[in-house]
Amino acid sequence: MRSVSHIKGEQQMITFYGQPKFANIDSDDTASGYELLIRQHIDGRWLLPEDFTALPPDQFEYLLRKALIAMPPTITRVSFNLERVHFVNPEFLDMVRRVQNDTDVILTVELTERYDPNIDNLTIVHAAEAFFKAGIEVVIDDVGSGNNLPGLVEALTPYVVGYKFGIQNLRPYATDEDLHDRLNFWAQQAELRHKRFEISGVESLDDVENMQRIPGCSDIQGYYFGQPVPLSTEDL
């Protein structure tokens, strides 16, 4: 990947890492897409940010555009997380729409599961409808976890293109059957509603074997297939 710049400030440096997605378990080494993951420079290391909501839309746009420049030419789809406070903010919708208008890469917003006591579910549904009307793809991240529970997922379904299931949210799970039952439930929900079904957090051969029992998965990602990597070597 080509080098991209970091956002720099007196108190923080923030960048995007990229984790590859693959179309199926048996695919070759060519990624079908990437998820962009925010990292903050803290005490000499690139870590998860202390506050996922701190990035304003102009800085988010800068990082997103630079990350797209760094993508391999074979990549046709790039996803990134929006917190609820971002998702319901029209400035973020406008930002994503601007970037999408300037690229052939399909941008996909992943609505995170993190709860925000100041934002009710109806507001989230209205925001999803706005993204849908703007032609921007939305996937519900970590279905069945946090605030992305079945009731909200059902209400969001008309406005989204897919569900994403995070295996990492269940660790340690009781048994392989417990994981399989949950995976199978959400895979069936996606199939019934004609939505894409993605799986993340695949970290071991056991995870892969559990996935092989689930039909209809459109994208997979996790440390077993590829770790998040910096999109720049600057300041590292």
Side-chain angles (χ1 to χ4, degrees), residues 113-129:
E113 81 287 359
R114 281 179 279 274
Y115 176 67
D116 188 323
N118 298 313
I119 302 172
D120 60 38
N121 285 352
L122 184 58
T123 302
I124 295 168
V125 173
H126 287 161
E129 182 179 11

Side-chain angles (χ1 to χ4, degrees), residues 1-227:
M1 292 184 182
R2 288 166 284 177
S3 177
V4 301
S5 299
H6 302 294
I7 291 289
K8 296 183 179 181
E10 293 184 358
Q11 300 299 325
Q12 64 179 12
M13 289 190 295
I14 295 176
T15 192
F16 273 131
Y17 273 41
Q19 185 173 35
K21 295 183 178 184
F22 297 89
N24 58 69
I25 295 172
D26 299 319
S27 63
D28 57 23
D29 291 335
T30 302
S32 59
Y34 272 82
E35 179 181 1
L36 303 179
L37 301 164
I38 294 175
R39 294 293 185 266
Q40 183 176 356
H41 201 251
I42 303 172
D43 296 330
R45 295 183 297 165
W46 289 101
L47 304 172
L48 293 174
E50 296 172 340
D51 181 1
F52 282 94
T53 69
L55 202 61
D58 59 335
Q59 291 188 357
F60 200 109
E61 180 173 353
Y62 174 83
L63 289 174
L64 180 55
R65 288 184 183 276
K66 292 296 184 180
L68 289 171
I69 292 172
M71 285 293 119
T74 55
I75 296 302
T76 60
R77 190 182 303 273
V78 167
S79 67
F80 51 90
N81 294 326
L82 285 186
E83 301 299 317
R84 277 160 159 68
V85 68
H86 296 153
F87 191 71
V88 304
N89 183 346
E91 292 184 13
F92 274 85
L93 171 56
D94 291 342
M95 176 274 291
V96 177
R97 185 161 40 191
R98 281 195 304 272
V99 178
Q100 183 64 88
N101 287 341
D102 291 340
T103 181
D104 292 328
V105 176
I106 299 172
L107 302 180
T108 303
V109 171
E110 297 191 12
L111 174 62
T112 72
E113 81 287 359
R114 281 179 279 274
Y115 176 67
D116 188 323
N118 298 313
I119 302 172
D120 60 38
N121 285 352
L122 184 58
T123 302
I124 295 168
V125 173
H126 287 161
E129 182 179 11
F131 274 92
F132 176 78
K133 289 180 177 178
I136 303 298
E137 289 192 352
V138 174
V139 166
I140 306 173
D141 197 13
D142 293 332
V143 288
S145 301
N147 202 48
N148 288 345
L149 299 178
L152 178 59
V153 171
E154 183 70 25
L156 290 170
T157 289
Y159 310 117
V160 305
V161 299
Y163 305 155
K164 187 174 183 179
F165 185 92
I167 293 177
Q168 69 277 4
N169 295 321
L170 297 182
R171 289 191 177 92
Y173 46 85
T175 64
D176 286 346
E177 286 305 316
D178 178 40
L179 174 60
H180 175 262
D181 287 347
R182 298 184 190 216
L183 274 169
N184 194 54
F185 170 81
W186 285 109
Q188 289 178 349
Q189 296 303 306
E191 182 179 16
L192 286 171
R193 290 158 175 78
H194 308 288
K195 304 298 179 183
R196 298 202 304 259
F197 184 61
E198 305 180 19
I199 300 176
S200 66
V202 181
E203 298 180 359
S204 67
L205 184 59
D206 284 343
D207 290 342
V208 172
E209 290 173 348
N210 276 306
M211 287 175 52
Q212 288 175 327
R213 301 164 62 189
I214 304 297
C217 179
S218 61
D219 287 292
I220 53 176
Q221 70 184 96
Y223 276 42
Y224 185 84
F225 297 101
Q227 297 186 27

